[in-house]
Amino acid sequence: MKTLYNNSGLSLFVISPFGNLDERIRSFLQCYRSEVPHASIIPKMHLMEDHMVPWIRQWQFGLGFHGEHGAESIHARMNSLLRTYCNVRKPLDKLKQAVIEHNRSVCPVVSQVRPQVKRRKENEGGQTD
């Protein structure tokens, strides 16, 4: 915990590392979902709801330390890849190809890794289970 003081040394307030942040986030999103039921949850709200408190607990500092440039860069790259795969008919297949290509460009080693295939055991009649 940290205490903030004014110039005369009087305690203004105490800052708890987490306080009731988790509770406040859940309350905010519950209100948002009830007041605007058809609105989607934007990525920042998802980050806030599912990742912010665990992140702060693990690394001991807030997300404000990081700029938005990385997320904006990924967003621009994904839009470019989605335009590249615009001829793929099924939206899920299009997204899958864009994500695979993005991962390949970000971490080429991943594309070289192949999972080990486990063969099924044959039963007495020569059939595989």
Side-chain angles (χ1 to χ4, degrees):
M1 281 206 233
K2 296 180 182 178
T3 305
L4 293 183
Y5 297 95
N6 65 8
N7 290 342
S8 62
L10 296 175
S11 172
L12 295 175
F13 53 89
V14 176
I15 301 173
S16 172
F18 312 111
N20 56 357
L21 179 63
D22 198 22
E23 180 183 315
R24 288 180 178 191
I25 290 171
R26 293 195 191 291
S27 175
F28 165 72
L29 285 164
Q30 181 181 11
C31 177
Y32 178 80
R33 287 183 174 112
S34 67
E35 294 296 321
V36 194
H38 300 293
S40 63
I41 299 296
I42 62 173
K44 285 183 181 181
M45 288 179 168
H46 164 72
L47 285 172
M48 185 172 65
E49 182 176 34
D50 293 333
H51 304 290
M52 181 179 289
V53 173
W55 172 272
I56 292 171
R57 283 193 177 117
Q58 181 176 359
W59 301 109
Q60 299 298 312
F61 59 86
L63 297 176
F65 178 78
H66 303 282
E68 292 187 28
H69 298 292
E72 292 299 327
S73 173
I74 291 171
H75 186 234
R77 176 75 175 135
M78 288 302 293
N79 283 339
S80 173
L81 288 170
L82 289 171
R83 284 190 298 275
T84 300
Y85 294 106
C86 67
N87 292 330
V88 177
R89 289 185 183 204
K90 294 180 181 177
L92 189 59
D93 290 344
K94 182 189 309 185
L95 181 61
K96 181 180 176 183
Q97 289 304 315
V99 169
I100 288 170
E101 181 59 32
H102 173 72
N103 287 341
R104 190 177 298 132
S105 68
V106 171
C107 187
V109 173
V110 172
S111 64
Q112 298 168 0
V113 175
R114 299 283 184 235
Q116 185 178 12
V117 178
K118 293 182 180 180
R119 302 282 180 199
R120 292 184 179 184
K121 295 179 183 177
E122 290 185 11
N123 60 18
E124 294 174 14
Q127 300 283 331
T128 55
D129 291 334

Tab-separated table of all heavy atoms in Angstrom, residues 16-33 48-50 52-54 56-57:
chain	number	residue	atom	x	y	z
A	16	SER	N	-4.440	1.403	-2.385
A	16	SER	CA	-4.268	-0.038	-2.292
A	16	SER	C	-3.898	-0.537	-3.684
A	16	SER	O	-4.421	-0.031	-4.673
A	16	SER	CB	-5.567	-0.686	-1.825
A	16	SER	OG	-5.453	-2.080	-1.908
A	17	PRO	N	-2.999	-1.518	-3.798
A	17	PRO	CA	-2.608	-1.983	-5.120
A	17	PRO	C	-3.790	-2.448	-5.971
A	17	PRO	O	-3.810	-2.246	-7.158
A	17	PRO	CB	-1.675	-3.151	-4.842
A	17	PRO	CG	-1.283	-3.028	-3.428
A	17	PRO	CD	-2.333	-2.233	-2.739
A	18	PHE	N	-4.772	-3.055	-5.356
A	18	PHE	CA	-5.909	-3.552	-6.125
A	18	PHE	C	-7.213	-2.960	-5.629
A	18	PHE	O	-8.136	-2.766	-6.391
A	18	PHE	CB	-5.994	-5.080	-6.056
A	18	PHE	CG	-4.683	-5.727	-6.336
A	18	PHE	CD1	-4.005	-6.385	-5.335
A	18	PHE	CD2	-4.125	-5.653	-7.582
A	18	PHE	CE1	-2.780	-6.965	-5.593
A	18	PHE	CE2	-2.901	-6.228	-7.845
A	18	PHE	CZ	-2.223	-6.890	-6.844
A	19	GLY	N	-7.290	-2.696	-4.334
A	19	GLY	CA	-8.530	-2.196	-3.769
A	19	GLY	C	-9.673	-3.083	-4.200
A	19	GLY	O	-9.604	-4.295	-4.114
A	20	ASN	N	-10.698	-2.463	-4.674
A	20	ASN	CA	-11.823	-3.229	-5.186
A	20	ASN	C	-11.924	-3.034	-6.698
A	20	ASN	O	-13.005	-2.923	-7.246
A	20	ASN	CB	-13.109	-2.837	-4.464
A	20	ASN	CG	-13.390	-1.351	-4.557
A	20	ASN	OD1	-12.605	-0.597	-5.103
A	20	ASN	ND2	-14.513	-0.929	-4.020
A	21	LEU	N	-10.774	-2.977	-7.353
A	21	LEU	CA	-10.721	-2.757	-8.800
A	21	LEU	C	-11.504	-3.825	-9.549
A	21	LEU	O	-12.300	-3.515	-10.438
A	21	LEU	CB	-9.269	-2.729	-9.279
A	21	LEU	CG	-9.066	-2.522	-10.771
A	21	LEU	CD1	-9.600	-1.164	-11.203
A	21	LEU	CD2	-7.593	-2.651	-11.127
A	22	ASP	N	-11.302	-5.075	-9.187
A	22	ASP	CA	-12.003	-6.173	-9.848
A	22	ASP	C	-13.515	-5.999	-9.719
A	22	ASP	O	-14.259	-6.138	-10.692
A	22	ASP	CB	-11.549	-7.503	-9.259
A	22	ASP	CG	-11.874	-8.681	-10.151
A	22	ASP	OD1	-12.058	-8.474	-11.364
A	22	ASP	OD2	-11.948	-9.805	-9.630
A	23	GLU	N	-13.951	-5.649	-8.517
A	23	GLU	CA	-15.384	-5.436	-8.264
A	23	GLU	C	-15.913	-4.256	-9.084
A	23	GLU	O	-17.000	-4.313	-9.649
A	23	GLU	CB	-15.576	-5.174	-6.772
A	23	GLU	CG	-16.991	-4.941	-6.345
A	23	GLU	CD	-17.061	-4.628	-4.861
A	23	GLU	OE1	-16.404	-5.331	-4.065
A	23	GLU	OE2	-17.762	-3.659	-4.515
A	24	ARG	N	-15.140	-3.183	-9.163
A	24	ARG	CA	-15.559	-2.004	-9.927
A	24	ARG	C	-15.649	-2.297	-11.417
A	24	ARG	O	-16.556	-1.836	-12.097
A	24	ARG	CB	-14.602	-0.848	-9.672
A	24	ARG	CG	-14.728	-0.247	-8.308
A	24	ARG	CD	-13.761	0.872	-8.127
A	24	ARG	NE	-13.925	1.478	-6.821
A	24	ARG	CZ	-13.363	2.604	-6.475
A	24	ARG	NH1	-12.598	3.255	-7.328
A	24	ARG	NH2	-13.552	3.099	-5.274
A	25	ILE	N	-14.694	-3.057	-11.934
A	25	ILE	CA	-14.720	-3.417	-13.360
A	25	ILE	C	-15.951	-4.255	-13.659
A	25	ILE	O	-16.677	-4.002	-14.621
A	25	ILE	CB	-13.426	-4.172	-13.749
A	25	ILE	CG1	-12.235	-3.216	-13.722
A	25	ILE	CG2	-13.576	-4.812	-15.123
A	25	ILE	CD1	-10.894	-3.894	-13.865
A	26	ARG	N	-16.210	-5.245	-12.831
A	26	ARG	CA	-17.384	-6.108	-13.052
A	26	ARG	C	-18.688	-5.299	-12.953
A	26	ARG	O	-19.613	-5.485	-13.738
A	26	ARG	CB	-17.386	-7.260	-12.064
A	26	ARG	CG	-16.241	-8.213	-12.311
A	26	ARG	CD	-16.396	-9.528	-11.606
A	26	ARG	NE	-15.183	-10.298	-11.653
A	26	ARG	CZ	-14.667	-10.851	-12.737
A	26	ARG	NH1	-15.267	-10.700	-13.884
A	26	ARG	NH2	-13.543	-11.533	-12.697
A	27	SER	N	-18.745	-4.383	-12.006
A	27	SER	CA	-19.928	-3.539	-11.846
A	27	SER	C	-20.134	-2.659	-13.080
A	27	SER	O	-21.256	-2.522	-13.579
A	27	SER	CB	-19.773	-2.682	-10.595
A	27	SER	OG	-20.833	-1.782	-10.484
A	28	PHE	N	-19.045	-2.071	-13.564
A	28	PHE	CA	-19.136	-1.228	-14.754
A	28	PHE	C	-19.645	-2.020	-15.953
A	28	PHE	O	-20.559	-1.596	-16.660
A	28	PHE	CB	-17.771	-0.621	-15.084
A	28	PHE	CG	-17.695	-0.038	-16.467
A	28	PHE	CD1	-18.356	1.140	-16.772
A	28	PHE	CD2	-16.989	-0.691	-17.459
A	28	PHE	CE1	-18.303	1.671	-18.055
A	28	PHE	CE2	-16.926	-0.171	-18.740
A	28	PHE	CZ	-17.590	1.016	-19.040
A	29	LEU	N	-19.065	-3.191	-16.186
A	29	LEU	CA	-19.471	-3.976	-17.355
A	29	LEU	C	-20.867	-4.558	-17.195
A	29	LEU	O	-21.592	-4.709	-18.176
A	29	LEU	CB	-18.437	-5.052	-17.659
A	29	LEU	CG	-17.186	-4.448	-18.302
A	29	LEU	CD1	-16.030	-5.406	-18.255
A	29	LEU	CD2	-17.469	-4.028	-19.720
A	30	GLN	N	-21.273	-4.863	-15.978
A	30	GLN	CA	-22.635	-5.324	-15.751
A	30	GLN	C	-23.611	-4.199	-16.103
A	30	GLN	O	-24.624	-4.422	-16.764
A	30	GLN	CB	-22.811	-5.751	-14.297
A	30	GLN	CG	-24.193	-6.262	-13.973
A	30	GLN	CD	-24.320	-6.653	-12.504
A	30	GLN	OE1	-23.448	-6.369	-11.684
A	30	GLN	NE2	-25.402	-7.310	-12.174
A	31	CYS	N	-23.310	-2.990	-15.682
A	31	CYS	CA	-24.141	-1.831	-15.999
A	31	CYS	C	-24.153	-1.589	-17.513
A	31	CYS	O	-25.208	-1.355	-18.099
A	31	CYS	CB	-23.611	-0.601	-15.272
A	31	CYS	SG	-24.514	0.902	-15.646
A	32	TYR	N	-22.992	-1.662	-18.137
A	32	TYR	CA	-22.889	-1.456	-19.585
A	32	TYR	C	-23.745	-2.473	-20.340
A	32	TYR	O	-24.488	-2.118	-21.241
A	32	TYR	CB	-21.423	-1.565	-20.017
A	32	TYR	CG	-21.203	-1.416	-21.503
A	32	TYR	CD1	-21.184	-0.169	-22.096
A	32	TYR	CD2	-21.007	-2.537	-22.306
A	32	TYR	CE1	-20.978	-0.028	-23.462
A	32	TYR	CE2	-20.802	-2.409	-23.665
A	32	TYR	CZ	-20.788	-1.154	-24.235
A	32	TYR	OH	-20.590	-1.023	-25.582
A	33	ARG	N	-23.630	-3.725	-19.947
A	33	ARG	CA	-24.394	-4.779	-20.631
A	33	ARG	C	-25.901	-4.629	-20.413
A	33	ARG	O	-26.687	-4.935	-21.308
A	33	ARG	CB	-23.929	-6.146	-20.165
A	33	ARG	CG	-22.577	-6.527	-20.712
A	33	ARG	CD	-22.173	-7.933	-20.282
A	33	ARG	NE	-20.946	-8.334	-20.916
A	33	ARG	CZ	-19.799	-8.522	-20.274
A	33	ARG	NH1	-19.739	-8.374	-18.959
A	33	ARG	NH2	-18.716	-8.876	-20.923
A	48	MET	N	-9.859	-5.140	-20.029
A	48	MET	CA	-10.134	-4.657	-18.683
A	48	MET	C	-10.826	-5.734	-17.850
A	48	MET	O	-10.447	-5.998	-16.705
A	48	MET	CB	-11.020	-3.406	-18.768
A	48	MET	CG	-11.272	-2.746	-17.453
A	48	MET	SD	-12.108	-1.163	-17.611
A	48	MET	CE	-13.689	-1.644	-18.290
A	49	GLU	N	-11.807	-6.412	-18.435
A	49	GLU	CA	-12.602	-7.391	-17.691
A	49	GLU	C	-11.825	-8.666	-17.375
A	49	GLU	O	-11.886	-9.184	-16.260
A	49	GLU	CB	-13.848	-7.739	-18.498
A	49	GLU	CG	-14.762	-8.715	-17.808
A	49	GLU	CD	-16.032	-8.976	-18.594
A	49	GLU	OE1	-15.995	-8.983	-19.844
A	49	GLU	OE2	-17.065	-9.175	-17.958
A	50	ASP	N	-11.095	-9.183	-18.345
A	50	ASP	CA	-10.503	-10.511	-18.182
A	50	ASP	C	-9.006	-10.522	-17.882
A	50	ASP	O	-8.487	-11.540	-17.433
A	50	ASP	CB	-10.751	-11.348	-19.441
A	50	ASP	CG	-12.216	-11.657	-19.630
A	50	ASP	OD1	-12.944	-11.704	-18.624
A	50	ASP	OD2	-12.644	-11.854	-20.778
A	52	MET	N	-6.880	-7.336	-16.871
A	52	MET	CA	-6.233	-6.236	-16.163
A	52	MET	C	-5.812	-6.611	-14.744
A	52	MET	O	-4.648	-6.420	-14.370
A	52	MET	CB	-7.134	-5.010	-16.118
A	52	MET	CG	-6.471	-3.838	-15.408
A	52	MET	SD	-7.488	-2.375	-15.360
A	52	MET	CE	-7.423	-1.896	-17.063
A	53	VAL	N	-6.724	-7.129	-13.945
A	53	VAL	CA	-6.391	-7.422	-12.542
A	53	VAL	C	-5.318	-8.512	-12.436
A	53	VAL	O	-4.347	-8.338	-11.692
A	53	VAL	CB	-7.663	-7.760	-11.731
A	53	VAL	CG1	-7.305	-8.235	-10.339
A	53	VAL	CG2	-8.575	-6.534	-11.666
A	54	PRO	N	-5.426	-9.633	-13.197
A	54	PRO	CA	-4.330	-10.611	-13.138
A	54	PRO	C	-2.987	-10.018	-13.567
A	54	PRO	O	-1.949	-10.323	-12.996
A	54	PRO	CB	-4.779	-11.717	-14.100
A	54	PRO	CG	-6.258	-11.608	-14.147
A	54	PRO	CD	-6.551	-10.146	-13.983
A	56	ILE	N	-2.005	-6.822	-13.281
A	56	ILE	CA	-1.505	-5.963	-12.206
A	56	ILE	C	-0.965	-6.806	-11.054
A	56	ILE	O	0.083	-6.503	-10.491
A	56	ILE	CB	-2.612	-5.008	-11.711
A	56	ILE	CG1	-2.951	-3.989	-12.806
A	56	ILE	CG2	-2.195	-4.288	-10.440
A	56	ILE	CD1	-4.172	-3.136	-12.502
A	57	ARG	N	-1.655	-7.893	-10.727
A	57	ARG	CA	-1.174	-8.765	-9.645
A	57	ARG	C	0.171	-9.396	-10.004
A	57	ARG	O	1.052	-9.508	-9.165
A	57	ARG	CB	-2.193	-9.854	-9.360
A	57	ARG	CG	-3.353	-9.351	-8.564
A	57	ARG	CD	-4.205	-10.487	-8.008
A	57	ARG	NE	-5.248	-9.917	-7.190
A	57	ARG	CZ	-6.537	-10.023	-7.451
A	57	ARG	NH1	-6.950	-10.716	-8.495
A	57	ARG	NH2	-7.426	-9.464	-6.674
